[in-house]
Amino acid sequence: MVDQPEEAAAVCEITARIADFVLRRPATQFPDEILRAASLQFLDTIGVTIAAGPMEAGRIARDAAVLLYGAGEDRHAARMLFDGRRVSLAGAAFAAATQTDNLDGHDGYSPTKGHIGVAVIPALAALAEAAPDLGGPEALAAIVIGYEIAGRAGIALHATVSDYHTSGAWNALGVAAMASRFIGLGDEKLRHAFGIAEYHGPRSQMMREIATPTMLHDGSGMGALVGLSAAVLAELGFAGAPAITLEAPDVAHHWDDLGSFWQMSRQYIKPYPVCRWAHAAIDGTRALCLEHGVGPEQVARVRVNSFHHAATLFAGMPDTTSKAQYSLAFAVATMVVHGRVGLEHISGAGLQDAAVAAMLKRVEVTESPRHSARFPQGRWADVSIETVDGRVLDSGDVHARGGPEAPFTSDDIEAKYMELAAPVLGEARARAIRDGILDLAAPGSRFSDLAVLLYDPPAGQRHHAA
């Protein structure tokens, strides 16, 4: 792959720097504010995992993990989150990542056009099962490593291939990095773990899933499965290096700032459990309705201009949760009718909401070249509402809330977590998990104090026969 001596030297320098960061950088050398950011992303993601637990995709994923990925040696086995059944490390991470991926409320990173925490947090929960002495700061450092490696791998992949791949294609490398650190691999085996994870990562076509939404979603369940499997394979001596997204000369610049520029603090938090591409349009609609006191009975038409990918989202009245999460028009109609977009609107009776179905017919979505030119760095839209009395209300250009451009506060993130977790786990357990995650950054904290709250199923949950 590398022909020139100077290129070979550069690759060696990059791989050595990555290995130092992944395998040898102690938690004490991660900035306090970055570890704090990791704890908030952990809290946000685990809230989505909890809320997704009763959903059909999550139940299927957990039952499939029991059937397909049974536990091997104790060191490579783990309980599934909020389920308790014991499967392999890879199976536990697969189940939780697939479950989380199917409730599209988890964080993301705009430059990658995808999601990291959905695979990284399940991987941490699985790996921690075999690390009873894991300290809280070290757990957060592992999260940061997963985010920083996965984010750069995703950017490098999309800069060098023509297709738009799902997040599992590259968040697998972040998971492989975390697992390699936990397992204690050396530099060369880490290289092979990256190579295996990249080669077997699910290079699934994102736009296929956008066109026909299903439980496949963003491929992150398979990304978590592959990443953990890659580290174990490398540990046993399986060869797979190099990983082109780390070692190709034309991607080297994506790794130059590892350990100095922190992608961890640039993630976005979702206010709505639907595709991020719809969020700017939802926010524009929300702002107009609030500012002008517009109710659904006053709306004659809603016109949305957004970027190309947003304009391709599912256009009809969804009959499944998967379709509802990939429908901009449905989300906008829901915001007009209900003043919010929550879990109850994208599942169950929300899929047969006659008022939303009627409003959906009044929503038009078109592509705007100026918004397309700013993607993926930004997710922009503008909205106009025509009222029944002839007024035309314009939002102007709106960027989705929750990211660096319009960040959520820690109170916002905690409130979102409680809204998702408390109905499933009960107020007391949800609060205890919240407090345990936010306390992880404290010196002397232990992950095991939190772990006792993470694996037992919610009260009254029964496992399906598998």
Side-chain angles (χ1 to χ4, degrees):
M1 184 184 76
V2 178
D3 298 323
Q4 302 299 323
E6 60 270 21
E7 291 182 350
V11 167
C12 288
E13 191 276 332
I14 291 168
T15 57
R17 186 153 41 85
I18 292 172
D20 281 340
F21 181 79
V22 170
L23 301 176
R24 290 179 286 279
R25 185 167 185 146
T28 54
Q29 291 184 14
F30 289 81
D32 290 344
E33 66 272 17
I34 298 305
L35 295 182
R36 170 66 175 170
S39 70
L40 289 171
Q41 301 303 128
F42 185 177
L43 182 69
D44 183 68
T45 302
I46 207 72
V48 178
T49 305
I50 293 165
M55 296 171 63
E56 184 181 16
R59 295 197 302 269
I60 292 171
R62 298 193 304 272
D63 287 346
V66 172
L67 287 170
L68 297 174
Y69 309 120
E73 298 177 19
D74 286 347
R75 189 167 62 89
H76 292 139
R79 289 169 292 169
M80 290 185 286
L81 282 171
F82 307 105
D83 180 282
R85 288 176 290 178
R86 199 165 181 81
V87 294
S88 68
L89 284 177
F94 159 80
T98 301
Q99 176 172 312
T100 308
D101 203 18
N102 272 272
L103 178 54
D104 207 344
H106 47 277
D107 67 11
Y109 186 41
S110 292
T112 66
K113 301 184 287 187
H115 311 275
I116 303 173
V118 59
V120 163
I121 300 307
L124 172 68
L127 291 161
E129 282 277 78
D133 296 326
L134 179 65
E138 174 60 29
L140 296 178
I143 291 173
V144 175
I145 287 166
Y147 272 81
E148 297 295 331
I149 297 300
R152 287 171 176 79
I155 294 169
L157 176 63
H158 285 129
T160 52
V161 298
S162 59
D163 210 350
Y164 174 13
H165 296 296
T166 60
S167 299
W170 44 267
N171 61 28
L173 280 82
V175 171
M178 298 172 67
S180 297
R181 182 179 175 98
F182 272 81
I183 292 172
L185 299 188
D187 291 24
E188 188 60 21
K189 287 190 173 182
L190 174 65
R191 279 191 72 226
H192 289 300
F194 282 141
I196 297 164
E198 181 190 81
Y199 192 85
H200 289 306
R203 292 203 173 184
S204 35
Q205 304 87 5
M206 188 72 249
M207 295 312 295
R208 171 194 157 186
E209 177 66 6
I210 296 299
T212 311
T214 66
M215 294 177 186
L216 294 172
H217 225 73
D218 205 30
S220 292
M222 285 298 173
L225 179 77
V226 168
L228 272 163
S229 299
V232 173
L233 283 165
E235 179 188 24
L236 297 176
F238 198 91
I244 298 172
T245 51
L246 278 72
E247 299 190 20
D250 58 344
V251 304
H253 62 286
H254 295 302
W255 298 93
D256 287 343
D257 61 359
L258 181 67
S260 58
F261 174 78
W262 297 96
Q263 299 181 359
M264 182 79 253
S265 63
R266 306 290 293 177
Q267 310 297 308
Y268 60 74
I269 299 290
K270 285 185 172 185
Y272 317 111
V274 297
C275 178
R276 182 65 169 176
W277 298 350
H279 282 216
I282 303 170
D283 280 341
T285 303
R286 172 179 176 269
L288 286 177
C289 291
L290 289 174
E291 180 182 353
H292 299 279
V294 174
E297 71 284 352
Q298 298 170 275
V299 174
R301 191 167 304 280
V302 182
R303 292 184 174 89
V304 176
N305 298 307
S306 195
F307 53 95
H308 170 74
H309 289 313
T312 66
L313 290 169
F314 187 76
M317 183 66 184
D319 56 2
T320 68
T321 295
S322 297
K323 291 177 183 177
Q325 293 178 102
Y326 279 137
S327 177
L328 183 154
F330 174 77
V332 166
T334 300
M335 177 56 73
V336 173
V337 172
H338 295 291
R340 63 187 302 274
V341 181
L343 178 57
E344 70 273 21
H345 302 123
I346 62 168
S347 60
L351 301 176
Q352 290 88 40
D353 190 322
V356 171
M359 184 61 64
L360 182 61
K361 296 175 182 178
R362 299 175 228 167
V363 178
E364 298 177 2
V365 182
T366 58
E367 177 186 353
S368 167
R370 75 178 185 280
H371 296 326
S372 293
R374 292 186 279 187
F375 178 82
Q377 286 73 24
R379 273 77 165 156
W380 292 85
D382 65 272
V383 180
S384 67
I385 295 179
E386 179 183 336
T387 65
V388 294
D389 59 5
R391 292 177 294 157
V392 177
L393 312 174
D394 292 311
S395 70
D397 287 2
V398 176
H399 193 281
R401 295 180 299 138
E405 306 83 2
F408 273 18
T409 66
S410 57
D411 287 345
D412 292 331
I413 297 170
E414 290 179 37
K416 176 189 168 184
Y417 161 79
M418 289 300 296
E419 181 179 348
L420 291 171
V424 179
L425 298 182
E427 193 82 13
R429 185 177 175 189
R431 288 186 183 277
I433 291 172
R434 178 200 62 191
D435 295 345
I437 290 173
L438 296 179
D439 286 346
L440 287 175
S445 64
R446 314 302 299 176
F447 190 86
S448 57
D449 294 336
L450 169 66
V452 296
L453 300 166
L454 295 181
Y455 303 101
D456 288 343
Q461 176 177 298
R462 294 183 179 181
H463 300 310
H464 288 205

